[in-house]
Amino acid sequence: MMYCLKCQDWISQPVTWSTLFLPNEQTQLCDSCQSQLKRIAGTICERCGRQMPNETMCEDCNKWQSNKKYRDTLLFNRSLFQYTPFMQEVITQWKYRGDYQLKDIFSPYIKKEIRNFYPTKSFTIVPIPLTNERLHDRAFNQAIAIAEIIAHHHKNPVIHALSRNVSHSEKQSKKSRQQRITTKNPFFLTKSLETDVLLVDDIYTTGMTIHHAAKLLQEAGCAHIYSFTLVR
Ligand SMILES: [Zn+2]
Ligand SMILES: [Zn+2]
C-alpha cells in the first residue's frame, strides 16, 4: 500500500510488469497531484532552461550575458518543472517538514532526464548551501537531496565545496536586479576543485545564486560549469 507523499491520499497501484519488477520507478504522488506538476516541455531558453513561447533567450539570461563579469560563466541550466503554486507548496513542505522521503516524488523524473541534459559525463556535483537564515530555521537542504539523487543515477561524486559567508545572507528580494548582480558574492570555496561541475539547487529564479557560485568555481579553475535545478 502506498500513500501520496504530497496529500497523503491512498494511491492505488495497478500491478503491471513494470511495477512488479521496478516498484521504485513510480513517483509517489497520486494522479491528482501528479497532474499538477507542470513539466518544462517544448521550446526553452537555451541558457537557463526556462520554458519559452518561442526560440529566444529570456530576459534574465540577456542580463547575465550582457554583464562582462558573468558572461558565459555558467554554460547552461536545465530544470524539470515550472514554478507553479502547487510546486511552491511541495518545495515549502519539503523544506520545512524536512521529510527526506519527499525526494521520492522527484527521483523518477530526475533519473529519466538527467543523462540527456549535459554533454559531459564526468563532473563533480556541488549542491548550493543553505543561507544562514534558513540554517537558523533548521530548514532542510533539498539541494543536497537532489544532488544525491543525481549522484546515484549519474555515478559522479557529490562534493560540498561551497559555504556561505555569514554577513551576506541578507534578504536579496528587497534589492533591485542591478543591485543583486553587483551584490558581493556570498560564497566561498571550502575545497579546491578543478573539474567540470554540475551545480545543484532547488529553484532557479533570477540565476543570481547559481551565477555567484559558478563564478567562484570558474576562478578556481573549473572549466565547464553547468547547473540543474528542479524548478525554473
Ligand atoms: Zn496527492
Ligand atoms: Zn534564460
Side-chain angles (χ1 to χ4, degrees):
M1 203 181 324
M2 208 161 88
Y3 293 91
C4 174
L5 287 175
K6 172 68 177 65
C7 69
Q8 275 72 51
D9 256 12
W10 182 59
I11 304 173
S12 62
Q13 279 179 294
V15 178
T16 65
W17 285 110
S18 77
T19 57
L20 208 57
F21 290 110
L22 299 163
N24 296 325
E25 294 298 296
Q26 271 190 331
T27 179
Q28 290 181 29
L29 282 182
C30 68
D31 286 347
S32 159
C33 288
Q34 230 177 101
S35 72
Q36 292 183 72
L37 287 176
K38 294 288 175 244
R39 282 292 315 276
I40 290 173
T43 318
I44 57 167
C45 167
E46 276 300 307
R47 298 204 71 89
C48 70
R50 177 189 215 155
Q51 185 156 322
M52 299 293 285
N54 49 51
E55 268 182 50
T56 174
M57 204 196 293
C58 78
E59 200 187 325
D60 288 327
C61 292
N62 264 316
K63 294 204 166 124
W64 289 111
Q65 282 300 91
S66 60
N67 184 295
K68 247 190 229 153
K69 188 175 168 192
Y70 286 101
R71 182 184 302 150
D72 295 329
T73 298
L74 177 76
L75 288 176
F76 59 79
N77 177 74
R78 287 297 177 263
S79 304
L80 287 175
F81 301 101
Q82 298 177 44
Y83 198 44
T84 57
F86 177 80
M87 186 49 95
Q88 192 177 4
E89 257 179 54
V90 177
I91 294 282
T92 309
Q93 190 178 341
W94 193 11
K95 191 167 289 175
Y96 291 101
R97 217 172 73 185
D99 189 342
Y100 206 75
Q101 213 196 355
L102 281 174
K103 76 177 180 5
D104 294 337
I105 291 177
F106 303 112
S107 184
Y109 294 97
I110 294 172
K111 183 185 177 185
K112 189 160 173 260
E113 301 292 346
I114 199 78
R115 281 173 193 280
N116 307 325
F117 279 162
Y118 307 98
T120 323
K121 293 286 163 244
S122 161
F123 44 61
T124 305
I125 303 165
V126 179
I128 298 284
L130 286 177
T131 62
N132 290 289
E133 280 163 12
R134 285 186 184 171
L135 270 178
H136 196 70
D137 294 344
R138 295 172 176 274
F140 168 76
N141 188 356
Q142 291 117 313
I144 294 175
I146 299 164
E148 283 167 0
I149 297 170
I150 297 172
H152 184 70
H153 297 304
H154 216 299
K155 311 288 176 233
N156 277 299
V158 177
I159 295 189
H160 302 272
L162 294 170
S163 202
R164 264 189 216 250
N165 287 311
V166 184
S167 51
H168 299 297
S169 62
E170 69 262 80
K171 287 215 162 59
Q172 299 295 343
S173 51
K174 286 177 188 154
K175 297 181 181 174
S176 75
R177 176 180 301 275
Q178 201 49 46
Q179 276 174 313
R180 271 187 259 133
I181 285 180
T182 54
T183 295
K184 196 161 183 287
N185 197 324
F187 298 109
F188 62 94
L189 279 177
T190 54
K191 295 195 171 67
S192 69
L193 211 59
E194 291 179 9
T195 60
D196 288 348
V197 168
L198 181 71
L199 284 166
V200 175
D201 207 357
D202 50 358
I203 300 173
Y204 184 115
T205 42
T206 60
M208 183 202 63
T209 303
I210 294 280
H211 277 79
H212 275 159
K215 188 75 210 163
L216 206 61
L217 291 163
Q218 186 189 45
E219 284 168 354
C222 301
H224 303 106
I225 302 155
Y226 306 92
S227 63
F228 174 82
T229 64
L230 263 190
V231 182
R232 171 66 175 106

